[in-house]
Structure formats: structure tokens, C-alpha cells
Amino acid sequence: MRLLLVEDDTELSSSLHARLKREGFAVDIAANGVDGEFMGNEEPYDVVILDLGLPQRSGLEVLQHWRQRGNRVPVIVLTARDAWHERVDGFKAGADDYLGKPFHFEELLVRVQALIRRNLQASVPDQKLDCCGLQLDEEHQQVTTPEGTVFDLTGTEFRLLRYFMLHPGKILTKSRLTEHVYEQDFDRDSNVIEVYVRHLRRKLGEWRILTRRGQGYIFIDPAKPEPPV
């Protein structure tokens, strides 16, 4: 999952960036409202963590501008613990959730995961995603095959497989996969996606991921026919 963190506190943003990456997220950072608003409009994020007290442009203005443009990206706003009026203003502007500072990372993580699940309209009981005979354990970053074999996944393998499992049977271009798996400074012309596709094929079977030349990849659902060429 790809996440945008808009926060001007460099110490906090650095800490959140490192911990969210360990949880399997690709994280982009903006340190002011102007950059955050631009990035939120240009990139297909799965969720945004937005501080309201930003320089150059307030988080509230950023959120209002996104919603006015029809940008429905899920947003968690960060507010001062006692600023109840900020929470009210944030919800009126279109926020999906809020968290008061200071907060525990574990609570932020649970809220992010819940918001992503809600937005995808996917049922993920006990932080497990079931698709195509596979079960993806999000908490431990493991996948279980229909035969009961359990494979540990690297962070990149986990993000890539999760995105495949959320879009079975669909043609996914390399650029679309890269946007959701890697961070903004990654070289999107590289062949690294192909490398990790090969890793997943070795673990799950060559037939699981079909290559469509000039189009992208398809994660095969045995219960459904392949899309037409």
C-alpha cells in the first residue's frame, strides 16, 4: 500500500516513515501544505496522514482543496490533543478519521489499516486477506498456499503480492504496480518489478502471475477466466 505523510515535524515524520516502511508500506513525505496538496493530486495514494498545522498552507485548506477537486483519497488528520474544534473542522472538510497528538504508533497503524480496508470494501478478518486459494497474513507478512505451505515475504514481496491479491484477474501495468509498491524517488524505469514477480512465481507457482507483453501482469484467479487479449 502506498501512503503519503504530510508532516512538518522532521523528527516525527522520520520516525513514522521508518516504522511504516517496516510494516510494509511505501511512504512518501511532504513537509508543507503546498507540496502535500500537489503530491496528493498527482499520485494514487491508498491513504494520507495529514497534519493540520502545516507551513505555507494549512492541512485544513489542503483537505478542502482535495475534496473540491473530487479527490476522495482516504485521509487521517493529526491534531493537537485538546483541539476539539480542529477535529470538527477536519470532519466537515472531508476527513475520514483523526488522531490526536501525541499518539502511539500502534494506534495510528490500526487506524491506517482499518481505513484502507474500508476504502477497498474488502473483508479482511484478523488481518488476513484470502484470494485465489492463498491467505495473506498482513501482521506477519506471510502467505499460505492451498497446500498449507507458509512462505515468509520481504517487504517488497508483501506489498506486491497484496496488490495482486486485491486485483485478481485484472491487467496491471508495471507503472501501476511500481506506484503502489515503491516510494517517490524510486527509478520507475528499472526492471526490479520483474525481479520480484520472479520471486513470487518461484514461491507460488509460475502460473500464478501471467505476463501480457506490452500490457503488464495478471494475477490468476483459478475460478475466473483470463481477460481477453
Side-chain angles (χ1 to χ4, degrees):
M1 293 287 100
R2 193 159 184 227
L3 183 151
L4 173 63
L5 172 62
V6 190
E7 170 61 65
D8 63 319
D9 184 329
T10 55
E11 184 175 348
L12 176 60
S13 65
S14 177
S15 173
L16 291 178
H17 178 262
R19 299 186 72 174
L20 286 164
K21 282 187 68 174
R22 286 199 294 270
E23 294 295 332
F25 291 94
V27 183
D28 295 345
I29 294 178
N32 63 72
V34 172
D35 290 344
E37 182 177 331
F38 174 79
M39 292 168 67
N41 281 325
E42 293 296 311
E43 302 291 343
Y45 293 104
D46 297 290
V47 68
V48 175
I49 300 173
L50 177 67
D51 184 32
L52 294 186
L54 295 169
Q56 299 187 30
R57 184 171 299 159
S58 74
L60 192 62
E61 287 181 280
V62 171
L63 181 55
Q64 289 170 335
H65 293 169
W66 281 340
R67 297 312 189 223
Q68 288 166 4
R69 287 173 58 105
N71 185 342
R72 305 311 303 170
V73 61
V75 175
I76 298 176
V77 297
L78 302 181
T79 70
R81 175 69 69 181
D82 57 351
W84 63 266
H85 60 281
E86 286 191 351
R87 298 196 293 270
V88 172
D89 291 341
F91 279 124
K92 286 182 177 179
D96 298 277
D97 200 356
Y98 79 92
L99 192 59
K101 294 180 179 179
F103 54 83
H104 292 286
F105 174 76
E106 291 74 15
E107 181 179 2
L108 174 64
L109 179 62
V110 168
R111 289 177 181 270
V112 166
Q113 291 171 335
L115 187 53
I116 289 174
R117 287 198 298 270
R118 205 158 64 229
N119 187 60
L120 292 171
Q121 297 181 332
S123 175
V124 192
D126 300 322
Q127 293 186 312
K128 289 182 173 63
L129 176 63
D130 292 286
C131 174
C132 310
L134 301 173
Q135 185 178 81
L136 186 66
D137 186 329
E138 298 188 53
E139 182 177 357
H140 299 99
Q141 294 194 16
Q142 297 174 326
V143 62
T144 304
T145 68
E147 297 75 30
T149 305
V150 178
F151 292 102
D152 292 319
L153 302 170
T154 66
T156 302
E157 290 172 346
F158 168 76
R159 292 192 295 270
L160 182 59
L161 179 58
R162 190 181 194 281
Y163 199 72
F164 272 133
M165 290 176 67
L166 288 168
H167 301 86
K170 297 180 180 179
I171 298 174
L172 302 175
T173 65
K174 186 187 293 188
S175 61
R176 181 175 175 184
L177 291 170
T178 303
E179 286 173 350
H180 281 78
V181 171
Y182 293 105
E183 300 176 35
Q184 61 198 26
D185 56 354
F186 189 81
D187 178 7
R188 296 184 181 178
D189 293 328
S190 75
N191 293 317
V192 175
I193 283 289
E194 296 177 13
V195 172
Y196 282 100
V197 165
R198 288 200 295 270
H199 290 181
L200 292 177
R201 283 171 170 161
R202 282 200 295 267
K203 291 179 177 180
L204 305 176
E206 292 287 331
W207 64 272
R208 285 275 180 190
I209 305 173
L210 177 68
T211 299
R212 281 281 181 84
R213 264 181 217 290
Q215 294 180 293
Y217 299 101
I218 302 171
F219 192 72
I220 298 300
D221 184 348
K224 298 180 181 178
E226 295 174 18
V229 177

